[in-house]
Amino acid sequence: MQAPDFWRLSGFLLAGLVIGALTSATGWCLFFATLIYALTVQSDLNRLLAWVRQHKKNEPPEQAGVFEELTLEIDYLRERHKKRKKKLGSYLKQFQQATRALPDATVILDANDEVRWANDAAKRDLRIRWPEDVGQRVTNLVREPRMRKYIEAKFESGDHTIEIENPADPERQLSVLVVPYGNNQRILVARDVTQLHRANQIRGDFVANVSHELRTPLTVFRGYLETISNQQELAPEAWRSAVEQMTVHAERMGSLVEQLLLLSSLEAEVCVPQPEIVRVADLCAEIHSRASELPDGKDRLFSLEIDGDLAVMGSRAELYDALSNLVFNAVHYTKAKGVIKIRWFRDEQDAVFEVEDDGIGISAEHIPRLTERFYRVESSRHRADSTSGSGLGLSIAKHALARHSAQLSITSEPGAGSTFTVRFPESQICQTDSAEWNQRDAG
Ligand code: ADP
């Protein structure tokens, strides 16, 4: 008990005792003294409560003892809270000023994909206004089917992006990234990539045009070379080897031009124009038969594990190009008597195509770059081998597979072999009845 409280209580009790002794009613006097003391304490409490409830800063009531201490403590905490609030308010203001000034559209979404906050660039590029659009679903504000699909996919990592047309200006392109953070919140950032898009388009058009222009003279060139090779009298003995070399290089160049044209056409459109049901088992049979007939005398062993009923929606030609490239690479980079396993199966989530070889393998630093156009491990291994692959096969495969929403992943170890895995998501899968299908084929 604090000293002032002690003296106050003692004072009341003493007064009660004295008056009790004078009036011969000590019990009653002590009772009234205690009652009056309790009422004074209650009155102090009421004053304290009234002061605490006041929102504005008022002078604390003048009190003594424990109430004075309580008042001072509350006053101190109030002051500290006020300063902290002011500081946080200024941080928030600075943060909002900085994010408002960001050139990229930035929108904060809650767990229901509703807008919580947006900067000025979001108003310019996505037509999302803050604070007017707070509480609106972002997919109702940006009405773009791919955006809806992307937002609803709720990717857990921030490494998936999509490109959409700028809703405010269809001539411009935006790259959209959604990153999860905090308590089920997500931050959406849309960056203008029009320049990059144009540069890519110019590069793509340039490659397509050059390839196209090269195609006709090359066809003429190859035609003459074929005629010369077939009619020995046209080429004197001394020129035979030169003609042979020219033929090999013309063939290689022809295949390069065809591959570049294929790549350009794959890049030109994001989706397969007219998807059909593709029975991957049939593709596997065709690829296997071609791969096992290669006349290089390496006599490889093939092991096939194929689900005959599992099919995907897409373009048969594109899937053939992509999957056959993986198998032919396995054949190409495997030594004589090597084993190549081809598997086509369904796991819990996806349909999986897998090619495993026990060939030369690839060291880790090359793996992330294999799907870049013209990237070849051999160019660092032995450059002299100019007649082998072009380095475009995996790039074509990746683009063709991306058009089927499929992902290509590669694992490999030098000297131990490689595994190329393609995963088709649920949305691309369709189940067929192989018996019915075979009957249809026979019909
Ligand atoms: P290429 O026409 O040169 O085969 P790709 O794009 O198909 O071009 O492959 C790129 C590179 O990846 C190849 O040059 C090769 O070095 C490497 N590669 C691809 N598949 C395999 C494999 N199964 N084993 C070892 N290396 C491979």
Side-chain angles (χ1 to χ4, degrees):
M1 191 183 255
Q2 306 276 328
D5 299 319
F6 173 76
W7 290 121
R8 182 157 57 150
L9 180 59
S10 308
F12 277 109
L13 291 178
L14 198 64
L17 276 176
V18 172
I19 299 171
L22 291 175
T23 58
S24 312
T26 314
W28 279 108
C29 288
L30 276 179
F31 169 74
F32 281 115
T34 316
L35 187 67
I36 295 168
Y37 174 75
L39 287 174
T40 60
V41 169
Q42 181 63 45
S43 146
D44 283 352
L45 270 174
N46 287 344
R47 279 164 64 210
L48 185 65
L49 184 67
W51 174 70
V52 168
R53 278 188 177 155
Q54 275 167 355
H55 293 294
K56 279 190 212 142
K57 166 104 179 94
N58 272 12
E59 281 303 309
E62 265 185 39
Q63 285 173 325
V66 71
F67 290 103
E68 185 185 20
E69 301 240 338
L70 255 176
T71 312
L72 290 176
E73 197 62 32
I74 292 171
D75 197 35
Y76 167 72
L77 286 176
R78 255 188 180 179
E79 204 53 40
R80 213 171 69 172
H81 174 70
K82 204 172 142 195
K83 276 190 191 147
R84 191 181 286 176
K85 201 168 151 190
K86 208 168 157 190
K87 207 159 141 189
L88 285 176
S90 117
Y91 284 155
L92 189 66
K93 210 167 163 189
Q94 278 179 30
F95 171 76
Q96 287 192 343
Q97 273 172 352
T99 38
R100 284 185 88 151
L102 277 179
D104 298 339
T106 310
V107 184
I108 290 178
L109 304 175
D110 65 12
N112 300 321
D113 302 331
E114 289 169 1
V115 173
R116 298 277 294 269
W117 181 85
N119 68 353
D120 292 348
K123 186 174 166 190
R124 184 194 64 212
D125 291 341
L126 297 170
R127 293 204 180 124
I128 296 178
R129 297 155 307 153
W130 183 81
E132 291 89 331
D133 290 333
V134 169
Q136 298 250 38
R137 284 180 85 98
V138 68
T139 42
N140 290 343
L141 298 168
V142 183
R143 292 185 168 273
E144 153 73 60
R146 283 191 308 127
M147 176 90 160
R148 174 179 289 273
K149 233 172 146 182
Y150 174 64
I151 296 278
E152 285 171 1
K154 296 215 184 270
F155 293 113
E156 289 195 354
S157 64
D159 50 10
H160 292 79
T161 56
I162 51 155
E163 275 191 26
I164 58 166
E165 267 177 13
N166 184 327
D169 178 1
E171 296 285 296
R172 305 192 76 78
Q173 299 292 320
L174 293 174
S175 165
V176 181
L177 169 71
V178 175
V179 189
Y181 79 98
N183 191 13
N184 275 336
Q185 289 194 316
R186 299 197 289 167
I187 185 159
L188 181 152
V189 182
R191 166 169 297 180
D192 190 303
V193 287
T194 313
Q195 294 292 345
L196 195 72
H197 202 77
R198 278 196 194 131
N200 269 339
Q201 227 165 19
I202 292 169
R203 186 194 51 127
D205 289 351
F206 175 76
V207 173
N209 289 339
V210 170
S211 312
H212 204 76
E213 291 302 321
L214 280 175
R215 202 187 212 176
T216 316
L218 254 175
T219 312
V220 175
F221 190 53
R222 282 159 76 186
Y224 279 121
L225 280 173
E226 201 180 322
T227 315
I228 297 170
S229 309
N230 289 342
Q231 296 176 27
Q232 302 280 331
E233 66 279 7
L234 290 178
E237 189 63 37
W239 278 91
R240 294 244 165 91
S241 147
V243 169
E244 263 170 35
Q245 275 196 46
M246 281 196 282
T247 308
V248 169
H249 284 280
E251 288 302 328
R252 183 171 144 73
M253 223 170 144
S255 113
L256 203 66
V257 166
E258 292 308 325
Q259 283 186 314
L260 280 172
L261 283 171
L262 177 61
L263 197 54
S264 302
S265 73
L266 290 177
E267 278 177 337
E269 277 180 80
V270 189
C271 303
V272 175
Q274 280 169 333
E276 53 177 325
I277 298 176
V278 183
R279 280 222 329 156
V280 178
D282 293 347
L283 292 185
C284 291
E286 209 174 315
I287 296 168
H288 170 236
S289 125
R290 273 194 56 200
S292 48
E293 282 166 10
L294 283 179
D296 61 357
K298 285 199 192 165
D299 203 13
R300 293 161 197 91
L301 289 170
F302 284 91
S303 135
L304 276 85
E305 213 179 286
I306 309 291
D307 179 343
D309 295 335
L310 189 56
V312 287
M313 290 303 293
S315 150
R316 193 179 197 281
E318 285 179 24
L319 287 175
Y320 181 85
D321 280 338
L323 304 184
S324 66
N325 183 269
L326 304 182
V327 178
F328 288 126
N329 274 349
V331 170
H332 191 77
Y333 298 104
T334 308
K335 292 178 229 84
K337 304 260 184 254
V339 180
I340 294 161
K341 291 183 188 154
I342 304 175
R343 296 176 70 212
W344 171 238
F345 60 98
R346 175 131 202 212
D347 66 8
E348 292 108 52
Q349 296 154 9
D350 307 320
V352 186
F353 178 85
E354 202 169 79
V355 186
E356 187 185 334
D357 66 58
D358 58 355
I360 57 175
I362 310 156
S363 43
E365 76 267 20
H366 295 294
I367 294 178
R369 301 197 58 194
L370 289 182
T371 53
E372 284 175 19
R373 55 183 70 200
F374 295 113
Y375 191 83
R376 296 181 57 217
V377 178
E378 287 69 34
S379 57
S380 52
R381 281 192 195 131
H382 37 86
R383 285 179 176 277
D385 184 13
S386 60
T387 53
S388 58
S390 59
L392 286 173
L394 287 180
S395 180
I396 292 175
K398 187 182 148 188
H399 273 88
L401 292 171
R403 280 157 61 96
H404 292 79
S405 310
Q407 295 264 348
L408 171 68
S409 60
I410 306 164
T411 52
S412 186
E413 213 178 294
S418 317
T419 305
F420 287 72
T421 309
V422 180
R423 292 192 156 270
F424 293 89
E426 176 86 50
S427 56
Q428 293 292 126
I429 303 174
C430 48
Q431 213 70 29
T432 60
D433 181 341
S434 48
E436 201 181 287
W437 196 277
N438 290 341
Q439 254 179 17
R440 220 168 77 175
D441 276 358

